[in-house]
Every structure is written in C-alpha cells, then in structure tokens.
C-alpha cells in the first residue's frame, strides 16, 4: 500500500492599504482600543453602502500578476452568508464564482505549485475570551472587537500540489517573501496579516482520500508541526482500518495536536448571492499595464541576480532573501560599499547575531551601512584586526557610534610594531614553559595556544600575522 500526503493551502493576506475595503476607516487595528475604528459600512448597518477601495484592488491585482495568474476582466462580489458573532452583518463580502485571477503558479525550490485562484474579501471581527489561554473553554463571557471588520484581504488558494510539511512551509515562506517584495502585504504572521489554512488528505495507491482542513497555524513552525501531526493521524487511521472524516480541525500549538472543530462547510452552506450594492468590476488593459509597469524585482529574480552578478552561493542567497528588509539592506550595502561577498558574510554572521541580541528591526537598520563601510576600511588599512573588527562593529550598532571613534576612544588600533610584539612573545614564552616544551617535542597544537596567549596579553590588538612570524622566530631560536 502506497500512502502519500496531498496538501493544498489557503492563505489570507492583509493588503497594505491605509483604509478598509469598503469604507474609509483605518486598517491599523493592532493595539487599538476595541471598537474604535468602525462605521456603519464596516458594521453592515442597514442603509449603509459599500464603496470599493481602488488601492486594495490594485494591490490584489499586483499579487495576482506576480503569481502568474490569468486576470479575469469581468469580476464581481458576492455575499457569503454565515452567522458568527464576530460578523455583525452575518455575511462577508467576498468574490465567489469569478475571482480576480486563476491558473497561476509560484515556483518553490524549482517546483511549480499551481495557484487555483486569488480573490479579494473583507475580514471579520475578533472574539476575545477572557481566559488565560485566550480560548473559549472555561470563559464566563466573551467580548467582541469589530475593529478588524472590513480590513481588505486576498485569499490565495493553491492546487493540492504540495506533498510534505517542509514543502508547505517553504511555499508559505516564498509567498510571504513575494507579497513583501511587491508591497502587497507586510506578511506578519504574529500580527495575523498572513494566515494559513491547509487541506490535507492521504492518497492510497494513487486514489485520493478524504480531506480535512487545518486552521490556526500561526507560525512557519506551526505549519510544519501541524501538517506532520495531521498526516501521521490520517495514516494511523487508515492503517488501523478506520476512515478519515471530512471536517475542520484546529491546531493546538501548546499541545501539539489537531482537534475536531466542526464538520466541513460546503459552498452551498454559505448561500452565496451577488452583492447587490456593488457593481460588477471591469478590469481594464490600462489598469493591468499600469500595474505591470510598476512591478518591482521579484524575489526569484533578485536571488538570481545575486548569484549571477555577485557570485553568491545557494545558502547565502537563501539567508539574505529570507526577509525583504534584509535583502534590501544587502543591496544598499553593496551599492555603497561594493564587495558583495564580504558584505554578505558580515550581514549574515555578525549583523544577524546582533539583530537577535538587541532585538533590532532590520527595516530600521539602514544606519549600519556607513558603519560597515568604515569597518571594512579599518580592516583594509590594517588599523584593526579581524577579531577587534567584530566587537567594534557590534558596539557601533549598539551605541550608534562610528567605528573609528570607538577604535580611537578605546585605543583598539592594531599593534604591528615588531619590537613591541617580540616583547609580548618573550614574556608569554617565559610564563608558559610547559607549552614551549610540548611544542619543541613535536606537539604542534601548542603553537596555537601560545599564539592565543600573545593575543590575550596584547588585549587582542596585535596583528596576528606579525605575532605568528615573531613567535615562529622565537621558538626556532629556542630549539
Ligand atoms: Zn468602516
């Protein structure tokens, strides 16, 4: 029996507009006082009329074009009816039979994952349960915040082309990178501007199985774990002679399991009908060419450029393109400094470590460009050695001070003066007779120990090449 996971994804992305999809309320709901950015339109009060936000349409089209979709020229909105307490009008305005784009694809690690459709819709509100976990269980009452109602989303639906949890994660990362690059969404999963659901089934000897839908995967790690768990669960069910039930399941990240949420809805459950308050949309050639003309470099093209023009390897390129701000910073550095290989190393090793330690936002870190430029110059001119350069760079970023000032104020200039270094070498040899003997008796490792000691007594400032040379000379003299 051959068992194969079959995975399709549905991804909701919040569009980077200033105002909501059908009204002029602001979209920045994160951290806002509940129910303070709402109006009759986004609450769906009787008599209010929606007006389509053209900026949202442009961003959605931009995503559809970047995902290689066919753009449908005549489209329209539907009402998707369902009753849920966070949706006061009891329907969501969404696109149903005619989405914006169809038959696209996104290439992930050389494989084309097909995009079935991409359409626009408005977001719902949010229920707040006053429990420790924030979940419904055990809540005495629930609160509702409508600030998010009407925030513009695109929904991107893939064909079931994904065959492993790792591939699903890679797909979402690539998609996030894409929407960030084209300025369509900030792609922030923690704040909910990128949300991912998955449909999973197991095919048995090539015959498709029943699928379940997994919701609430809030991080890349959660996507990978939830899918791995669900695949295991379905395979176990099949192997023990049971049957997989079509349903929607909730990923419980703290327990590491999926649990049954409800039976899966079918389209007819939603009683879709055309939204009578919005005219059908005509997408003109002019609009499409306007969007094509302003399309920036896409992540794949950027990675290929880095490889072709800068000779970077796959691994370096994948780290640098893991987020758009990091890639932007790299491009800025190379424009100002040149030397792509070295810049790439510094950003990946030193800069990312510092970012982590100081909790820096990479998008606000363009101030490091002149610092890095100076560090490389100080190294070139032999003013500091490589070890000192790392600590000076870190301090420069932390204190926002120029490296040359730090070097000067702390007296970190590299010592290349041979007589000073010879003095240090002699005293180290005198104090480490054991190491000297073991070196002279053929244990080469002792050399590095002695070299380290000289660097230590010179507070790391000695020129390592000179130390090496003098140390060799002095040890030779002893043998
Ligand atoms: Zn509103």
């Amino acid at each position: 029996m051959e068992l194969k996971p079959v995975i399709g994804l549905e991804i909701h992305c919040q569009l980077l507009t200033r105002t909501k999809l059908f009204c002029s309320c602001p979209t920045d709901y994160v951290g806002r006082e509940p129910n303070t950015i709402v109006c009759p339109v986004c609450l769906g009060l009787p008599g209010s009329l929606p007006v389509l936000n053209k900026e949202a349409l442009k961003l959605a089209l931009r995503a559809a074009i970047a995902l290689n979709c066919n753009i449908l020229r005549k489209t329209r909105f539907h009402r998707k009816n369902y009753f849920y307490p966070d949706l006061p009008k009891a329907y969501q305005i969404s696109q149903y039979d005619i989405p914006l784009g169809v038959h696209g694809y996104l290439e992930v690690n050389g494989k084309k994952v097909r995009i079935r459709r991409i359409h626009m819709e408005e977001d719902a509100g949010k229920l707040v349960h006053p429990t420790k976990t924030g979940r419904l269980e055990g809540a005495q009452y629930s609160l509702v915040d409508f600030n998010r109602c009407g925030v513009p989303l695109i929904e991107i639906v893939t064909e079931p082309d994904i065959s492993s949890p790792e591939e699903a994660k890679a797909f979402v990362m690539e998609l996030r990178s894409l929407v960030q690059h084209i300025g369509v969404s900030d792609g922030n999963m923690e704040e909910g501007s990128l949300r991912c659901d998955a449909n999973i089934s197991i095919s048995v000897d090539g015959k498709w199985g029943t699928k379940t839908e997994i919701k609430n995967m809030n991080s890349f790690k959660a996507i990978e774990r939830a899918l791995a768990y669900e695949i295991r669960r379905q395979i176990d069910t099949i192997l023990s002679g049971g049957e997989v039930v079509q349903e929607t399941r909730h990923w419980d990240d703290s327990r590491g399991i999926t649990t049954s949420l409800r039976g899966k809805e079918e389209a007819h459950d939603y009683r879709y009908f055309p939204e009578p308050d919005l005219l059908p949309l005509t997408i003109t050639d002019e609009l499409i060419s306007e969007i094509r003309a302003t399309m920036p470099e896409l992540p794949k093209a950027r990675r290929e450029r880095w490889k072709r023009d800068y000779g970077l390897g796959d691994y370096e390129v994948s780290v640098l393109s893991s987020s758009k701000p990091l890639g932007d910073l790299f491009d800025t550095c190379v424009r100002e400094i040149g030397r792509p290989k070295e810049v790439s190393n510094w950003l990946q090793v030193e800069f990312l470590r510092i970012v982590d330690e100081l909790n820096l936002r990479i998008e606000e870190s363009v101030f490091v460009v002149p610092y890095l430029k100076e560090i490389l110059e100080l190294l070139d001119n032999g003013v500091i050695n490589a070890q000192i350069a790392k600590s000076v760079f870190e301090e420069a970023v932390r204190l926002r001070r120029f490296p040359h000032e730090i070097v000067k104020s702390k007296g970190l200039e590299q010592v290349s003066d041979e007589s000073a270094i010879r003095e240090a070498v002699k005293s180290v040899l005198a104090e480490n007779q054991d190491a000297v003997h073991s070196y002279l008796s053929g244990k080469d490792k002792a050399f590095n120990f002695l070299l380290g000691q000289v660097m230590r007594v010179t507070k790391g400032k000695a020129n390592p090449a000179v130390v090496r040379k003098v140390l060799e000379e002095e040890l030779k003299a002893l043998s």
Side-chain angles (χ1 to χ4, degrees), residues 20 23-25 37-43 149:
K20 293 183 180 178
C23 64
S24 56
C25 293
I37 45 172
V38 290
C39 74
V41 173
C42 53
L43 291 175
C149 277

PDB file of all heavy atoms in Angstrom, residues 20 23-25 37-43 149, ligand 1:
ATOM      1  N   LYS A  20     -10.000  50.652   4.935  1.00  0.00           N
ATOM      2  CA  LYS A  20     -10.640  49.349   4.760  1.00  0.00           C
ATOM      3  C   LYS A  20     -11.154  49.133   3.324  1.00  0.00           C
ATOM      4  O   LYS A  20     -11.108  50.036   2.500  1.00  0.00           O
ATOM      5  CB  LYS A  20     -11.773  49.192   5.778  1.00  0.00           C
ATOM      6  CG  LYS A  20     -11.258  49.100   7.227  1.00  0.00           C
ATOM      7  CD  LYS A  20     -12.396  48.863   8.216  1.00  0.00           C
ATOM      8  CE  LYS A  20     -11.867  48.783   9.647  1.00  0.00           C
ATOM      9  NZ  LYS A  20     -12.972  48.592  10.624  1.00  0.00           N
ATOM     10  N   CYS A  23     -14.878  51.087   3.091  1.00  0.00           N
ATOM     11  CA  CYS A  23     -15.173  52.348   3.791  1.00  0.00           C
ATOM     12  C   CYS A  23     -13.855  53.043   4.092  1.00  0.00           C
ATOM     13  O   CYS A  23     -12.791  52.525   3.761  1.00  0.00           O
ATOM     14  CB  CYS A  23     -15.940  52.072   5.088  1.00  0.00           C
ATOM     15  SG  CYS A  23     -15.002  51.128   6.301  1.00  0.00           S
ATOM     16  N   SER A  24     -13.906  54.194   4.737  1.00  0.00           N
ATOM     17  CA  SER A  24     -12.668  54.945   4.942  1.00  0.00           C
ATOM     18  C   SER A  24     -12.097  54.778   6.348  1.00  0.00           C
ATOM     19  O   SER A  24     -11.216  55.529   6.756  1.00  0.00           O
ATOM     20  CB  SER A  24     -12.904  56.423   4.631  1.00  0.00           C
ATOM     21  OG  SER A  24     -13.965  56.883   5.433  1.00  0.00           O
ATOM     22  N   CYS A  25     -12.573  53.776   7.103  1.00  0.00           N
ATOM     23  CA  CYS A  25     -11.980  53.503   8.419  1.00  0.00           C
ATOM     24  C   CYS A  25     -10.529  53.034   8.228  1.00  0.00           C
ATOM     25  O   CYS A  25     -10.233  52.333   7.267  1.00  0.00           O
ATOM     26  CB  CYS A  25     -12.736  52.402   9.147  1.00  0.00           C
ATOM     27  SG  CYS A  25     -14.409  52.855   9.607  1.00  0.00           S
ATOM     28  N   ILE A  37     -12.461  51.862  15.564  1.00  0.00           N
ATOM     29  CA  ILE A  37     -12.319  52.204  14.140  1.00  0.00           C
ATOM     30  C   ILE A  37     -13.379  51.438  13.342  1.00  0.00           C
ATOM     31  O   ILE A  37     -13.066  50.532  12.575  1.00  0.00           O
ATOM     32  CB  ILE A  37     -10.887  51.951  13.602  1.00  0.00           C
ATOM     33  CG1 ILE A  37     -10.349  50.591  14.066  1.00  0.00           C
ATOM     34  CG2 ILE A  37      -9.942  53.040  14.054  1.00  0.00           C
ATOM     35  CD1 ILE A  37      -9.016  50.217  13.401  1.00  0.00           C
ATOM     36  N   VAL A  38     -14.613  51.820  13.599  1.00  0.00           N
ATOM     37  CA  VAL A  38     -15.738  51.172  12.916  1.00  0.00           C
ATOM     38  C   VAL A  38     -16.712  52.246  12.445  1.00  0.00           C
ATOM     39  O   VAL A  38     -16.718  53.357  12.977  1.00  0.00           O
ATOM     40  CB  VAL A  38     -16.491  50.198  13.859  1.00  0.00           C
ATOM     41  CG1 VAL A  38     -15.633  48.987  14.161  1.00  0.00           C
ATOM     42  CG2 VAL A  38     -16.918  50.892  15.140  1.00  0.00           C
ATOM     43  N   CYS A  39     -17.505  51.919  11.431  1.00  0.00           N
ATOM     44  CA  CYS A  39     -18.507  52.846  10.919  1.00  0.00           C
ATOM     45  C   CYS A  39     -19.702  52.011  10.436  1.00  0.00           C
ATOM     46  O   CYS A  39     -19.619  50.786  10.388  1.00  0.00           O
ATOM     47  CB  CYS A  39     -17.931  53.705   9.795  1.00  0.00           C
ATOM     48  SG  CYS A  39     -17.729  52.795   8.256  1.00  0.00           S
ATOM     49  N   PRO A  40     -20.781  52.642  10.073  1.00  0.00           N
ATOM     50  CA  PRO A  40     -21.955  51.872   9.626  1.00  0.00           C
ATOM     51  C   PRO A  40     -21.639  50.915   8.474  1.00  0.00           C
ATOM     52  O   PRO A  40     -22.195  49.818   8.411  1.00  0.00           O
ATOM     53  CB  PRO A  40     -22.937  52.965   9.184  1.00  0.00           C
ATOM     54  CG  PRO A  40     -22.585  54.146  10.035  1.00  0.00           C
ATOM     55  CD  PRO A  40     -21.083  54.084  10.177  1.00  0.00           C
ATOM     56  N   VAL A  41     -20.709  51.304   7.583  1.00  0.00           N
ATOM     57  CA  VAL A  41     -20.422  50.440   6.432  1.00  0.00           C
ATOM     58  C   VAL A  41     -19.728  49.148   6.883  1.00  0.00           C
ATOM     59  O   VAL A  41     -20.161  48.046   6.528  1.00  0.00           O
ATOM     60  CB  VAL A  41     -19.552  51.166   5.378  1.00  0.00           C
ATOM     61  CG1 VAL A  41     -19.114  50.205   4.279  1.00  0.00           C
ATOM     62  CG2 VAL A  41     -20.327  52.338   4.779  1.00  0.00           C
ATOM     63  N   CYS A  42     -18.652  49.269   7.681  1.00  0.00           N
ATOM     64  CA  CYS A  42     -17.939  48.036   8.016  1.00  0.00           C
ATOM     65  C   CYS A  42     -18.698  47.218   9.055  1.00  0.00           C
ATOM     66  O   CYS A  42     -18.422  46.024   9.220  1.00  0.00           O
ATOM     67  CB  CYS A  42     -16.478  48.284   8.368  1.00  0.00           C
ATOM     68  SG  CYS A  42     -16.125  49.484   9.633  1.00  0.00           S
ATOM     69  N   LEU A  43     -19.652  47.836   9.741  1.00  0.00           N
ATOM     70  CA  LEU A  43     -20.508  47.060  10.641  1.00  0.00           C
ATOM     71  C   LEU A  43     -21.715  46.504   9.888  1.00  0.00           C
ATOM     72  O   LEU A  43     -22.483  45.711  10.422  1.00  0.00           O
ATOM     73  CB  LEU A  43     -20.991  47.926  11.799  1.00  0.00           C
ATOM     74  CG  LEU A  43     -19.912  48.345  12.803  1.00  0.00           C
ATOM     75  CD1 LEU A  43     -20.494  49.312  13.827  1.00  0.00           C
ATOM     76  CD2 LEU A  43     -19.339  47.123  13.497  1.00  0.00           C
ATOM     77  N   CYS A 149     -13.179  44.313  11.225  1.00  0.00           N
ATOM     78  CA  CYS A 149     -14.223  44.138  10.211  1.00  0.00           C
ATOM     79  C   CYS A 149     -13.961  45.026   9.005  1.00  0.00           C
ATOM     80  O   CYS A 149     -13.781  46.229   9.142  1.00  0.00           O
ATOM     81  CB  CYS A 149     -15.584  44.558  10.769  1.00  0.00           C
ATOM     82  SG  CYS A 149     -16.375  43.288  11.716  1.00  0.00           S
TER      83      CYS A 149
HETATM   84 ZN1  LIG B   1     -15.779  51.497   8.384  1.00  0.00          ZN
END
